[in-house]
Amino acid sequence: MAIPVLIIGKSGMGKSASLRNCAGNPDWNLIRVLNKPLPFKGKIDGWNTDDYQTVMKCLIQSKAKNIVIDDAGYLITNMFMSKHSAAGGGNGVFTLYNQIGDHFWNLIQFIIEKVPADKIVYVIMHEEANELGEIKPKTIGKLLDEKVCIEGMFTIVLRCIVESNKHLFVTQAADGAVSKSPIGMFEDAVIDNDMLLVEKAIRDYYEIGGKENNAETK
C-alpha cells in the first residue's frame, strides 16, 4: 500500500514550488495534469497527461520512490469541461457527475491498493471554501464533497500558506482549513515548504525505504 499525501492551497501559495529541491533527483517523478512550466529552474522527470488510465500506468511504471500528481484537480475539471456540453441535461448531466466522482475516487483507491508500499504519492490540488467557510480541496459537483470527502481518504493533508513572505506547510487543522498528519510525524504545526523535508518525515515515521537518500536533508 503506497502512502497518499494530499497537498492543497490557493494558486501562488507554493504547491508546485515545494518541489524545487527535488529537481534532478531520480527518486522523484512528476505527473503534470496541466502542461505548464514549473515555477523553478531544473527538471523533474515524468509525464504530462490528464487521462486517468495513463496516470495509473505511470504510477505503476515509475521507478521513483516519490511520485507527484501536480494540478490533480484538473483531472476533474478537464473531464467536466470536455464532456458537459455533450451530456445534455437531466440524467445526462447527473451521469457525468457520477462518472467524474467515480474516476477520481478510483484513482485514490488505486494509489492506496495497487502502488507499491515503498512509494509515496503526492496529490496536489487547489483549495476552495464551502458555504460554511470551511476550506477543502476544490472539486466539481456534490458527489466528491458529500459522499466521498476527498480529504477523508488521506491520513496526511498539508495546506500551503504564505506568512511574512515565507511559503509554509500547515500540518494540522487551523483557521477552518483541513490539514492533518499523524501524531508526532511533524514537530511543528507549521513547517518549511519543502517536499524533501516532508518525504523524510513520512519515511522516518513509517520506517519505509528511502532514508539513505534523505540523509542530505538533515
Side-chain angles (χ1 to χ4, degrees):
M1 179 183 78
I3 297 175
V5 178
L6 178 62
I7 309 291
I8 66 170
K10 295 179 181 178
S11 183
M13 290 293 105
K15 298 185 299 299
S16 300
S18 67
L19 298 166
R20 63 195 177 279
N21 292 326
C22 305
N25 189 331
D27 280 343
W28 290 79
N29 273 164
L30 178 63
I31 299 172
R32 294 185 295 168
V33 176
L34 295 180
N35 191 18
K36 65 181 185 182
L38 291 170
F40 51 83
K41 288 186 176 181
K43 179 181 177 181
I44 301 175
D45 290 336
W47 307 266
N48 168 227
T49 181
D50 65 354
D51 177 76
Y52 279 97
Q53 292 301 315
T54 304
V55 170
M56 293 178 186
K57 289 179 181 177
C58 293
L59 289 170
I60 294 299
Q61 292 173 357
S62 172
K63 292 180 171 55
K65 294 180 179 180
N66 303 277
I67 311 164
V68 180
I69 307 176
D70 197 14
D71 288 313
Y74 279 92
L75 290 168
I76 298 170
T77 302
N78 290 0
M79 184 175 179
F80 175 78
M81 293 304 295
S82 64
K83 295 185 177 183
H84 74 93
S85 295
N91 290 336
V93 174
F94 181 76
T95 298
L96 176 59
Y97 280 124
N98 282 343
Q99 291 173 344
I100 289 171
D102 288 347
H103 277 66
F104 200 81
W105 181 87
N106 284 330
L107 174 61
I108 306 305
Q109 289 295 106
F110 182 87
I111 292 169
I112 295 170
E113 297 176 0
K114 302 296 183 182
V115 179
D118 64 336
K119 296 182 184 294
I120 304 174
V121 180
Y122 308 82
V123 179
I124 298 180
M125 301 181 69
H126 285 88
E127 67 178 43
E128 65 179 355
N130 63 18
E131 61 274 10
L132 300 176
E134 299 166 334
I135 298 170
K136 61 173 195 62
K138 184 175 183 178
T139 62
I140 291 176
K142 296 183 178 180
L143 182 61
L144 287 170
D145 293 338
E146 297 180 355
K147 302 299 188 294
V148 175
C149 180
I150 290 175
E151 59 270 26
M153 301 180 74
F154 295 80
T155 300
I156 305 167
V157 180
L158 304 179
R159 185 188 182 211
C160 295
I161 63 169
V162 174
E163 288 185 351
S164 302
N165 294 321
K166 187 175 182 180
H167 292 275
L168 303 165
F169 280 133
V170 181
T171 67
Q172 300 293 334
D175 301 323
V178 56
S179 299
K180 58 182 177 177
S181 56
I183 297 171
M185 177 175 284
F186 299 101
E187 293 183 2
D188 301 305
V190 179
I191 63 173
D192 287 341
N193 174 288
D194 186 339
M195 204 73 90
L196 283 185
L197 297 178
V198 171
E199 183 211 2
K200 183 182 185 306
I202 294 172
R203 293 192 182 279
D204 286 351
Y205 190 87
Y206 288 121
E207 298 181 354
I208 56 178
K211 291 183 180 179
E212 300 86 355
N213 294 326
N214 288 327
E216 297 178 359
T217 67
K218 291 183 178 179

